[in-house]
Amino acid sequence: MRVLFAGTPEVAVPSLHALLDSPHEVLGVLTRPDAPAGRGRALTPSPVARVALDTGLEVLRPPGPRDPEFHARLRKLAPDCCPVVAYGGLLPESILAIPEHGWINLHFSLLPAWRGAAPVQHAVIAGDEVTGASTFRIVKELDAGPVFGVLTETIGPDDTSGDLLDRLAVAGAGLLLATLDGVEQGRLEPLPQSSDGVSFAPKITVDNARIDWTAPAMRVDRLIRGCTPNPAAWTVRGDDRLRIGPVTPRPDQRDLKPGELLVGRKEVLVGTATHAVLLGEITAPGKRPMPAADWARGARIESGDLLGTDS
C-alpha cells in the first residue's frame, strides 16, 4: 500500500523503520512542528521527522491537523492508508475518509482500557499486571474505533512507563505492520470495541506527579514508576523541588512517619503511610541525577528531616 505515516516521539520510530523495511511505499510523514529543546531551546525536529529527513522522505509539519494546506497536500498524495503512532493531535473527521483504508492507530493499551494520551503511565500507576497494544481504525470518538489486533505485555514489579513503552514500541511495530498487511490483502476485518471495561488515560501533568508521602508505599512506588521518565515524580524539601527516581519498597522498616528520612552511609529511606521506601536517584535543582546517599551527604541531610514539606 501507499502510506503516509503519522507520528512524533521516539516511541513511534520503530514503527516507521518497520514500514520503511516493508514492501509498503512510505510517501512521507506527518509529525508535530519542530519544538524548542535542550539548554539553548533551539527548534528541533521530532524523532520521527529526523528519521524521515535522513531517509529523504517528505515531512509534513502543519501547525495542526486541521490546517487547510495540509488537507490539500494529503488529498494530492492520496495514500491508501495512514498508520498512526503517537502523532499528538486529534484528527478531524474531514480527513478520516481520504485514505481508502482509513487511519489505523497503534495504541499502547488493551482497548477499551486506557483510551487517551497516557495509557502506559496510567496502567503502571493503577497497578495493572498486564498491558499491551492494539491496532484500530480511527473514528471521530477518542480511541473508540474497531480493533484489528492486539498483543499483551506483562508489567513487572520494577517496570517504569519508559521500560514498558520501549518494549511496546518494538512489539507494536510488528503488530502495526501485520495489520497493514492483513488490510491490504483483504483478510482482516476490525471488531467493535466492547462497551464494558472502558477507562480513560488523560495526559499526566507535572502537578499530578507530586508524591504524596501520606499514601501507602505501594501507591508511592507506582506513581513514581508511572511518571518515569516523564513527567518525572517530584517532591519538595524546603524551597527545593527534587525529582525522584524509582524507589524500592522496604516493608521491614515501619517506624518512619510519612516523609521522614532515615539517612545511612549507603542508603536513604523515607517513610510513607505504611512502610518505608528506599530512595533511588535524586535530581536536585541545577544538578545531575545522583544516588540518594550522595545527595544526602552533599545537601547535609540528616535522619529526621522531612520530604514533602514546603518552607
Side-chain angles (χ1 to χ4, degrees), residues 26-295:
V26 183
L27 304 173
V29 303
L30 166 66
T31 189
R32 299 294 295 170
D34 296 357
R39 292 192 172 185
R41 308 304 291 164
L43 287 178
T44 304
S46 73
V48 164
R50 287 200 301 271
V51 173
L53 292 168
D54 290 344
T55 316
L57 292 174
E58 178 175 352
V59 180
L60 304 178
R61 287 173 274 202
R66 297 181 182 276
D67 179 63
E69 291 186 12
F70 161 61
H71 289 204
R73 184 58 184 153
L74 179 64
R75 287 189 177 88
K76 190 169 184 178
L77 286 171
D80 299 315
C81 184
C82 293
V84 184
V85 183
Y87 163 62
L90 290 176
L91 301 171
E93 196 173 7
S94 57
I95 64 171
L96 295 183
I98 291 177
E100 177 185 354
H101 296 294
W103 297 67
I104 296 178
N105 192 23
L106 172 65
H107 185 74
F108 297 117
S109 83
L110 297 174
L111 291 171
W114 302 129
R115 295 173 177 173
V120 171
Q121 292 87 337
H122 280 274
V124 173
I125 292 170
D128 292 358
E129 294 180 350
V130 176
T131 184
S134 308
T135 50
F136 69 96
R137 178 169 289 144
I138 293 179
V139 296
K140 181 176 63 175
E141 295 79 14
L142 177 67
D143 297 339
V147 173
F148 289 100
V150 299
L151 61 83
T152 60
E153 179 71 35
T154 300
I155 301 178
D158 299 324
D159 274 336
T160 67
S161 61
D163 297 332
L164 275 173
L165 277 169
D166 287 346
R167 299 204 298 270
L168 289 170
V170 174
L175 174 64
L176 181 63
L177 194 58
T179 299
L180 295 179
D181 291 345
V183 169
E184 181 183 32
Q185 295 160 11
R187 57 178 172 76
L188 193 58
E189 288 294 329
L191 298 175
Q193 292 186 34
S194 171
S195 57
D196 297 327
V198 175
S199 55
F200 293 94
K203 180 180 178 180
I204 295 177
T205 67
V206 172
D207 286 345
N208 298 147
R210 180 170 184 167
I211 300 167
D212 176 9
W213 298 109
T214 68
M218 183 179 294
R219 283 177 51 190
V220 170
D221 170 45
R222 290 172 181 170
L223 175 75
I224 295 172
R225 288 190 290 112
C227 293
T228 300
N230 293 306
W234 60 278
T235 189
V236 295
R237 180 178 177 274
D239 293 332
D240 289 341
R241 191 160 106 172
L242 308 170
R243 293 176 60 168
I244 305 294
V247 297
T248 304
R250 287 286 296 271
D252 58 307
Q253 176 54 264
R254 297 177 178 270
D255 296 334
L256 299 175
K257 60 186 180 183
E260 182 181 0
L261 290 163
L262 178 62
V263 181
R265 284 188 58 204
K266 296 184 177 179
E267 64 179 27
V268 180
L269 304 181
V270 57
T272 72
T274 50
H275 55 74
V277 296
L278 173 67
L279 291 176
E281 284 190 337
I282 290 182
T283 307
K287 304 287 187 182
R288 295 181 180 277
M290 65 182 77
D294 293 349
W295 162 77

